[in-house]
Every structure is written in structure tokens, then in C-alpha cells.
Amino acid sequence: MIALRTPVSLLHLAAAAGQRKRCTGGHRRRRHLSGAPESLWRRGPRPPRSPAPAAAAARSEPSTSSLPPPLENAAFEEYYKEQRIVHEEEWDAFMSVLRKPLPATFRVNASCRFLKDICSRLENDFRRSLENEVSDECGEYALSPLPWYPGNLAWHLNLSRKQLRKNPAVESFHEFLKHESEVGNVTRQEAVSMVPPLFLNVQAGHHILDMCAAPGSKTFQLLEMIHQSKEPGLLPTALVIANDLKVQRCDVLIHNTKRMCTANLIVTNHEAQSFPSCSLAKDDSEAYKDHCKPQRLEFDRVLCDVPCSGDGTLRKSHDLWRKWSSSMGNEFHLLQVNIAMRGIALLKVGGRMVYSTCSMNPVENEAVVAELLRRSGSSVELLDVSTELRELVRRPGLGTWKVNDRGSWFQTHEDVPDSRKNVILPSMFPSSTSIHESHKVYNSFDVNSEYNVPFSRNFNIEDTNNVNCDTGGISSSNSAQSLDSKFPLHRCMRIVPHDQDGGAFFIAVIHKLSPLNENQVIKVRKTENLLSKNRTVKLQEQCQHRIVSEVLDDNKLLDEQTKLSVANQTSKDDNLTEVKMASDVEYSQTESGDRSRRMDKLDYQHKWKGIDPVLFFKDEAVIKNIVSFFGIEESFSLEGHLVTRSTDNARRIYYVSKAVQDILELNIQVGEQIKIASLGVKMFERHRSKDGCSCAYRLSYEGLSLLFPYMRKRILHASPVDFQHLLQYRTINFARFADARFGEEAASMMPGCCVVVLREGYQIADSIASDPSPIAIVCWRGKATMNVLVSPADRKELLEYRFGIKAFKVEDEKSNKNIDALAEESL
């Protein structure tokens, strides 16, 4: 670019150019449009001059847009100082930690095959090497297990995720994490995000609902728990339904949970506050009259990790510093209440629900829990779980707080201007009496910042009922007029960043004692609907969540359900018509009536447009052919357990557990109220081979571990050398196997899918832990070759943990020369 002696604005340039165009002909116009600099100036171009030092310095500095966002927000600090979420003398430490990068954390899959090997590498290899290589940057403990997580399966790294990617000294460890995450052995998850599932106390046989599940790390954690609790060699009897509102988020959820290869998962796509109960029963007494077949959808455990403002994630979401405002929490409040109330409605009597957010805002936390207790009356109780996970540092919930709206602070709803009372709801305040407080209050408890200190390991929260607290000095404005909640909110848990160098989280554990009181729930809903009519519209625009407002009668519900659809699966649009149901009582009313009339109205095989239907695979000829070809024992029943997503010529066949089968049958009976995005584990796939295979389907590696114990045909046993070669080179000619007998057996087998098993009784390296379960892979017996049908990542895992090969390249094409060389070395 040529620097000009006389600065001329762009406007002047444009004016001058326009004047010259009017004075000159077409030739001049063409020269100007061609960009010749002579057309802009009467005199010739002047020599460039050196830029001013200040301008040069400015250009050498990064632009403002490229700079990271400032980690400051005066409104944030004012808000939380006023709420007294930490003690005054802790404030600087609290803010200091919030501005530091969040350490990377991850969790080892407790049900993975190579659990001992992975834990051994972490403890003996990586822990020592990282302490030596990055001790200056990370301190003494670069890598250490989280003390509160059971079994030392969760680990904390004193490096942020960005540092982990950029630091060459930890490159091998980063590659380890990426690979183990890809095959499902490790889940990279924020430490505080691991906490809520642990308080569910999942047991064998439990039906679990994850209401807002994406991206799926907590769902994966729940799946680990149900697979841990099963008897060895048997499929779990438990079930997990993972739900999310957005189609895009469901895709992420499916991708992340697919690594578990489980037949006990259903992924659904619903508004959480409108999740259907699929009731065939007229009332609760008939809900489980037939213990073999459920009459409605109810859960032993519900995880209610609701959408929130997310200011507990400031350490990793730096853009929130700029975006944060106090109105964010107010906008989510009613949605959170509605979702949690739906969770309580779907919870079995005696069941447990965990309500959680990654927010520090009491309007999203304690205020929501207090409203749940108000609405539910004596049907639920807030549990004291201070004796569980004693190593976890947590603080009691707040007993009092204020509500901020547009810079003004309010103690009660009566103080709110009339023009704002449809936005600032009574349930946001600690002293709200939006419904008669019939809930049993065990003890009166005054919680403020003086007692807002970490729990000790042997601390019992019930011992604090007579503590005399002061304001702690964080904010004394109007403290004498603050009103306390009448509920035992000190039983809630607050996790703050500077206690254990993590993020912030809020957790409350609710136990259902009896069915919800119908009159009480309906009264609350009518009151809140009137107050929140305008606010609902705003929240729909900002949060893309549908807020329910009234109860539909049976005919109206049918019409609404028929209209519920998504334009198409690839559009990733989630324009769902509202199904307006807010509580178990209300929703059960809409489900009563003549079932035959409902079934006539609904074509449930194509209920959800744009989503492939879930169909039971009932082609007896194909099933018999599969059973005969692979020699599947009768004890492993396929009847009623196979489903497909295509109406004809099924390409993929999925296997579902008995619990999932029961839910599918119930869903069909009620007209497919559940919108299913994914379910089960892929067991069989149609092949297009022309090798003369008598079975149209091959096995999927995802379902092999489930089916293999019941197979009696199409099985070959390979030596360690040949098994290793198959993993490394994928395709091997029969004549090239080191064990000639194995090559002959493969050549004599009929073409088609088979399973190759690592021969038992061989010696392995001392550093590799032995695994009593057989190691098997899915292969295809071709015309003259054996081809492995396993992904490179899974082949790499088997090579590393069964053969001790850590540095290698997985080949996709055979290399007979390398195979011969390796065979000679191994013999």
C-alpha cells in the first residue's frame, strides 16, 4: 500500500472520484474501475513515507478483537457480594481462583475391560513422569486422583485443557487421553460435574431418567454404575433414559454414549418439563399392578441437571465474564421449577431425585428447591447427605437471599413494582407463600455467611441447628430485614471453586415419600401461569425452551401429539409443538379415556415425522437363519429383543434389554408418546458380499461382547502371533498365518462373518495384567483372506493392553513382507 503525504478521508476520495467520472469519458471510467492509481490523482504517485512510530507500534500489537476477554464484571461481583455466597475474608481468594484456568480432570470407566491396566499406567507411569517433566509448572502433584471419588477412578491434572494441548512435555499423556476417550475407557469431564450421579445411590435394577442429558458425561457415568451392579456374565436389569430438547444435542449425546456399547439405554428428544409418563393406568394404584408389565413410565432415580445461567463455569467459559447479568438467573427460574416438578412427578414413591445446576445464583438454586417443597407439600423431603462422600468439600445451602431486577434489590415479592411482577415471581423469594407451606420443617435454621465454611470430613449438618450466626461482614445493607426460608435448605450443597480448585456447583437430593397432592399442584400451576404469561414468551425467545401453561383435555392432547414433528432429520431443527403438561397429576388426567379411540387416531409407526420409527424386528425366517448360522443358544433369546429403524429390508438390527423392551411395548400401547432418537446396541448389519455367504447379516463388534458367550459356531482360535498380525494388518492371506493349522481351519470354513478368539494359555509380558475374559474380534472369511471388522482405535487398544505394544502404526492394508519378518521374530 502506498502511503500518502496528505491524509484524505474515504469520503473525499469517493467525491473526487465521482467528479472526475463526470468530467472524463468511458476510457477514464474504465481505467478508474480497473483500479489504476493514476486515475485517482492528478499528479503522479508520491514516494511512500515511513510510518509514524506510534502507528507502527499499534500495528505490531494484537488487535482488540483478538485479545482474550477481560476476566472482570463489576455487576457479577456486586451481585454475589450482596448474596453473601462466601465469607468476606474469602472473597479475594474466591475471585482469584475464578480467574485461573480450570484444571483438566477425567474419569476412568469402572466397567471397562482393561480397568486394571489403565489404572496401573496412570499410577506407575504417567504420574511419575509428569511430576518429573512439568513439576515447575504444575507443582509437586501434577497428576493425582480426586480423593472424594470412589475407587480412585477420577483424576485431577494441574494443567488446563489448553496447556495440555500445547505443552510438548505432556504430548504422550495427551495422546493417551484422546485414545482412551475414543474407545470409551476414559471420560474427560469437569470434576464437579461428576458429583450429582454419585448422590443418586444407583442400585441394580433401577430405572433412571436423565432429564437434560447432553452432552452425555453424566449419562455415561450412570451407565457405568448399572453395568457395575450387574451379576457377572449377565445383562443389567437396570435402564437409563437420557433426554434432551435439541436434536443437535441429542446427536452429541448419542455419539458420547455409543462408546459404552450398552443395550440398556434409550435416548429421547423431548422438552424435559413435558416428558410423557405413557400411562395406561387410571390412577397411581394401578400403575404397577402388573409387576411384569409397567402401566406407566416411572423411575427409581431421576437426575435433574437443569439448564442454567452457568456462571459456575467461568473458569473455562471466559466469554461469560462479558455476558453475565443478574437477569440470566431470573429468566431460568420458572423453567427450572417446571422441569424439576416434572421429575418429581415421574419419580416412584421411595425414589430419589438429584437437582443440580452449574450456577451460583440462589434464584436458580435454593429458590427452586424451596418452591419444589412448597408445591409438593408432604410428598417429598429434602435429604441430608452430609455423611456421603465425606472427602468432598461442600457448603450448606443459603437460608436467605435477595432478588435483583434491573439494578434494584428486593426482599419480598410485595416490594416489586406491579409492572415487573409478571417477571419477578413470588417463588424467587425465600419468604414466598405462593402455596400453603404444608411441608414438614424439621428444624428452624438461620444460615448466612458466618456458617458458610467448608464441611469437615466428620461433619453432620444436623448438628448446626442451634448455631448463632452473624452476617460475616460481606454486606450489611438491609441485612436486618432479610427474610429466611422456612425450609431446611441448609441440606442443599454448594461447591465453590477455591475449596478444591474446581468449578462451582449446586446439588440438592430429594426423596419422594408419597404421590403428589392433586389439588395443591393444580393450584400452584394456575397461580404461576397467570404471573408468568409474558415471561414465558421472553424465555422461549431467549432460551429456546417451551414453557407449559395449561392442561389439555384428552382430544386436544391427541391433536397436539399428532402435530408434534421435526421437519427432517438433517435440518437439525427442533420446532416442536408444545405438549402442555406440567405435573404427574395433570398429565395423568389427559391420558385417561378410551384407548381404542386414541389408537385409531394415531399412526404410531410414523408418529414423529423426520425421525425413523422404532420397529420390533419380527422376520422369523431371518432370525432363524441368524441363529442357525452363528449357533446362538436358546438361553439368549432374540425374540422381542431385536429392533430396527427401517420399515423394510432392515440394514441394521439393534438388541435391547428386557427393561427397554417393556418400555417400547408400553410406548406402542399409548400411541408412541416417546420420541426415541436412539436405543440399544447394534448387533447385526446387512452385508453386500458376493462370497457366497448363506447369512445376509454379519456381527457388529459393538454387540460382540454381549452375544459371544452364547455363540457355538463360526469361531476360530488364533495364536498370539496370528492374532497380533490380524490386529496390525487387518487383512491376511490364509497361507501367511504363522500357525498353519489356523490357516487351514480358516480356509475350510464357509465364507461369511466369524469370530477369531485369542487362544488361551499363553504367556504375556509381566507388565500387562491378565484378563480372565476371552479376547475376541469380528472378522470376515473371504475367498482367500481373513479380514478384521474392527475399528483402528479398538485394534490399537487390544494391541496395547494384550500385547504391550505402545508405539505402532495400525495398517489398513496387508504387508506380507512385514508379516513374514514378524512371524520369524516371534517363533
Side-chain angles (χ1 to χ4, degrees), residues 307-309 329 332-333 336 355 357 359 361-366 368:
C308 64
S309 61
F332 278 104
H333 171 82
Q336 293 161 340
Y355 173 85
T357 76
S359 168
N361 197 332
V363 175
E364 300 178 81
N365 297 331
E366 287 86 355
V368 172

Side-chain angles (χ1 to χ4, degrees), residues 339-357:
I339 292 176
M341 278 304 300
R342 189 65 190 144
I344 293 175
L346 293 168
L347 190 63
K348 289 181 182 178
V349 173
R352 178 182 283 201
M353 183 181 86
V354 169
Y355 173 85
S356 62
T357 76

Side-chain angles (χ1 to χ4, degrees), residues 329-482:
N330 298 343
E331 291 165 356
F332 278 104
H333 171 82
L334 184 57
L335 174 66
Q336 293 161 340
V337 171
N338 286 335
I339 292 176
M341 278 304 300
R342 189 65 190 144
I344 293 175
L346 293 168
L347 190 63
K348 289 181 182 178
V349 173
R352 178 182 283 201
M353 183 181 86
V354 169
Y355 173 85
S356 62
T357 76
C358 54
S359 168
M360 295 179 281
N361 197 332
V363 175
E364 300 178 81
N365 297 331
E366 287 86 355
V368 172
V369 174
E371 182 64 7
L372 298 180
L373 299 179
R374 274 187 215 101
R375 293 190 182 191
S376 303
S378 58
S379 297
V380 302
E381 66 173 334
L382 185 60
L383 290 182
D384 169 23
V385 290
S386 58
T387 59
E388 301 178 25
L389 297 182
R390 290 179 177 272
E391 296 285 347
L392 177 67
V393 180
R394 83 292 296 265
R395 303 179 181 217
L398 303 178
T400 184
W401 60 91
K402 303 175 185 178
V403 178
N404 185 284
D405 180 48
R406 295 182 174 180
S408 299
W409 290 95
F410 303 105
Q411 301 282 354
T412 66
H413 190 255
E414 289 73 19
D415 300 333
V416 179
D418 292 341
S419 61
R420 300 295 295 170
K421 284 188 176 180
N422 65 329
V423 177
I424 305 302
L425 306 179
S427 56
M428 296 179 180
F429 295 86
S431 59
S432 172
T433 55
S434 63
I435 190 171
H436 177 65
E437 296 186 2
S438 59
H439 182 274
K440 181 180 179 182
V441 180
Y442 295 88
N443 290 289
S444 176
F445 186 80
D446 186 7
V447 179
N448 58 21
S449 58
E450 173 64 24
Y451 194 70
N452 208 355
V453 293
F455 288 172
S456 65
R457 296 182 181 179
N458 300 318
F459 181 82
N460 189 332
I461 197 166
E462 296 298 341
D463 295 337
T464 67
N465 295 329
N466 297 320
V467 175
N468 184 16
C469 307
D470 58 30
T471 62
I474 289 185
S475 175
S476 59
S477 61
N478 298 324
S479 62
Q481 302 176 9
S482 298

